Structures are given as C-alpha cells and as structure tokens.
Amino acid sequence: MRAAYASAFDADNPLAALAVGDRPEPTHPQDDWVTVRVRASSLNHHDLWSLRGVGLTADQLPMILGCDAVGTDPDGNEMVLYPVVPTPGDPRGVSILSEHYQGTFAELVAVPRTNLLPLPDGLSATDAACLPTAWLTAWRMLTTKGRVADGESVLVQGAGGGVATAAVALAVALGKRVYATSRDAAKRERIAELGATALEPGARLPERVDVVIETVGAATFDHSLKSAAPMARIVVSGATAGHEPTVNLRRVFAMQLEILGTSMGTPDELAELLAFCAEHGVRPVVDRVVPFSRIDEAFARLHSGDVFGKVVVDHTA
Ligand SMILES: NC(=O)c1ccc[n+]([C@@H]2O[C@H](COP(=O)([O-])OP(=O)(O)OC[C@H]3O[C@@H](n4cnc5c(N)ncnc54)[C@H](OP(=O)(O)O)[C@@H]3O)[C@@H](O)[C@H]2O)c1
C-alpha cells in the first residue's frame, strides 16, 4: 500500500528523511485490533520531530508517520481514530501512532477497536481528521488542566500553530476573553478574525490572564509568566522554540502560579470535543487540504512555519 514514512533521520533537514512509496499492509499485534481504510489525515509538528529523530530510534525505521485520521472500519462505519495506544515497555505505558505502531499516512492503519469513535453528523472527514491530536491537546489544556472558568481570560502563545489556533477557536467558543501572540502581522490579523485580541510577542496585555496556553517554549515562556494573574495555570504541551527556558521562580511562588504539563487527552475528552464541535458549529482552522499524492508538499508547508491552522491530507484524492 502507498504510505509516507521516515526512512532515515535528518535533524537539520527533516524533509530529506521523508519517503513516499510502498509499505506492507498493517498486521494486528493483538486480537482486538482492526484495520481502518484512511479517508483523511492531518499533519502535526510531531511528524517533523519524528523525521528529525526525536522520539524514534533507528531500529524502528522505516516508520509510517501520522497520528491523526478518519477512516472506514471493517463494517463500513466512518470513525475517528484516537491515536494513543497501550504500549507495554514504553515508560508512559502508551504511545502515539507512528511512535511504536505504524501511523496514519497510508491507505490502511491498524488500531485497537476501542480507539475508534463514531464520526459525528455534520463533521466532514477532513475537519474531524484535525481533532485527535492538536485539537484534543488544546481542549484538555483549556478544560481538564487549565480549568478555565466563567469570566476568566486566556493567553495563547504562537498563534499560527495547530494547537494554538485550536485553543483560540475553542476558548472563544467557550465564551472566554482570549489574547493571542504571533510574530507575524498577517497571522495576527487572522487570529483576530477568530475572536482573539492579537498582540506582538512580549506585548503587555490589558489584563493578567488566568490560563496560558504554551506550545512555543523558551521564546515566550517569560512573557507567559509575566502575563499570568495570581493563581493562574500555565499549561505546557510543546516547546517548538526550545525546551529549556529561564524560569523566574520568585514569580511562580509569589503569584502562586501552576505550571502544568500535558500530552494529548483521554478517549472521553476526544468524545467530548467531537460533541462540542458538532453541537456548537466549531470547525477546525484548516491551512490547506492536500491530496495524498502530494503529501510531500504538505510536509514542506508545515516545515516552512507559515501555516495558519492544520495541514490536512485527503486520502481519497
Ligand atoms: N504534547 C502533546 O500532546 C502535543 C500535541 C500537539 C502538539 N504538541 C507540540 O506543541 C508544539 C506546537 O505544535 P503545533 O503543530 O501546534 O505548531 P507549530 O508548527 O510547532 O507552531 C507553533 C507556533 O510556534 C511559534 N514559534 C515557532 N518558532 C518560534 C520562535 N522561534 N519564536 C517565537 N515563536 C515561535 C509560531 O508562532 P508565530 O509564527 O505565530 O509567532 C508557530 O505558529 C510542537 O512542539 C508540538 O510538538 C504537543
């Protein structure tokens, strides 16, 4: 079957490590696994980290990339894939598709049957394929971890990314006051259209916020600390611009801040998110939809850093 996979690692030029070609059809490590025919998938920064050799070892290559997908199960039902899979031997006890088990950038992918959730009415396959990683992460950051309450405000750093655009769209739909930073004037304009007050990185906010959504890391973390209200929650799920920021601990204890790490979400949180989007008419911010035959262009687009929202792959094209 056709697939896009990591054939090698390249820390400097991850696109050089991407291969597109034939791979064997999936096998089932356990009896309760099923094979799904993929209809749509979406890219995450995780796919670029994998090509750089972060989170994978050479003995795991070749590895089909891709965490997110919507596809058809063996009974012909349209399903959304929950990408976190029990993984004995992994220190986390779980892994994300494309780490230990082959990923979704293929004609077929295998997952435990319990990882399949019905595609809600009204959500297209290409929209729903954006939700299982970036949007699920943003949902958990705002709700379970950030505990964003009525009347509270949210700051989202690095407004163009998949998690960041999700956090803005969801926080606006939840009725919060939302601020978002971006280095790029065009992205600030677009994030404002989603309902956020757009700011340059490091700018003083009109108020201190209760929840900060951090995926940028070293480049923005000090601003996140300075922008946080007393008792605020700074929720971290990524560090695209460096994972070793300087942290002013005086501010952490004096303002009684909580710095919370998080990864992905639970199947119940994905079900909640799907229902929330279907019910409230919230749709993912899609940078572009690319046919599978041009998946290398989708990777180049994500790598360029110019994206606004999710890069989606249509496997039927
Ligand atoms: N833990 C999890 O479960 C999970 C799930 C999803 C993603 N992640 C992680 O979260 C991070 C975000 O991923 P993503 O795919 O949403 O987006 P992304 O492509 O990594 O981009 C995030 C944003 O970071 C900002 N940025 C990048 N370099 C920067 C720099 N040097 N200085 C300031 N800002 C910079 C950019 O904002 P502007 O251009 O707008 O300034 C960009 O839009 C990644 O590290 C990813 O691995 C983790």
Side-chain angles (χ1 to χ4, degrees), residues 120-124 127-128 130-131 135-136 139 166 169-170 173 269-285:
D121 287 343
L123 270 184
S124 68
D127 278 349
C130 299
L131 302 181
W135 277 64
L136 175 61
W139 177 254
L170 289 169
E269 286 165 336
L270 180 56
E272 271 170 31
L273 170 64
L274 289 165
F276 182 84
C277 290
E279 220 168 277
H280 294 265
V282 179
R283 293 294 175 269
V285 183

Side-chain angles (χ1 to χ4, degrees), residues 45 49 137 158-163 182-183 187 216 219 237-238 240-241 263-264:
H45 212 97
W49 292 128
T137 302
V163 177
S182 175
R183 296 163 297 174
K187 286 187 197 172
V216 179
S237 72
T240 295
S263 238
M264 307 296 285

Side-chain angles (χ1 to χ4, degrees), residues 62-247:
M63 177 62 79
I64 300 175
L65 300 171
C67 309
D68 290 338
V70 169
T72 313
D73 75 5
D75 302 320
N77 303 306
E78 299 224 85
M79 306 301 267
V80 181
L81 272 71
Y82 173 66
V84 184
V85 180
T87 308
D90 189 290
R92 300 165 295 178
V94 294
S95 66
I96 304 173
L97 288 177
S98 79
E99 292 179 345
H100 284 269
Y101 299 106
Q102 302 292 321
T104 59
F105 296 154
E107 283 172 60
L108 304 169
V109 61
V111 288
R113 186 179 284 281
T114 48
N115 281 50
L116 299 180
L117 288 88
L119 175 68
D121 287 343
L123 270 184
S124 68
T126 47
D127 278 349
C130 299
L131 302 181
T133 295
W135 277 64
L136 175 61
T137 302
W139 177 254
R140 180 174 167 88
M141 290 174 88
L142 288 167
T143 58
T144 313
K145 292 285 183 172
R147 310 187 305 276
V148 67
D150 286 349
E152 290 198 331
S153 52
V154 178
L155 167 64
V156 181
Q157 300 282 16
V163 177
T165 49
V168 169
L170 289 169
V172 169
L174 287 164
K176 310 308 169 201
R177 293 184 307 287
V178 185
Y179 304 94
T181 64
S182 175
R183 296 163 297 174
D184 182 81
K187 286 187 197 172
R188 289 198 294 275
E189 216 167 280
R190 295 191 64 186
I191 209 76
E193 285 165 15
L194 291 179
T197 300
L199 300 153
E200 289 186 26
R204 194 185 179 89
L205 271 53
E207 62 176 320
R208 288 212 166 99
V209 297
D210 305 290
V211 177
V212 182
I213 300 296
E214 251 300 351
T215 58
V216 179
T220 53
F221 205 76
D222 190 53
H223 181 242
S224 294
L225 287 170
K226 286 179 178 151
S227 305
M231 318 297 279
R233 286 78 68 198
I234 299 175
V235 191
V236 183
S237 72
T240 295
H243 61 277
E244 294 184 323
T246 302
V247 177

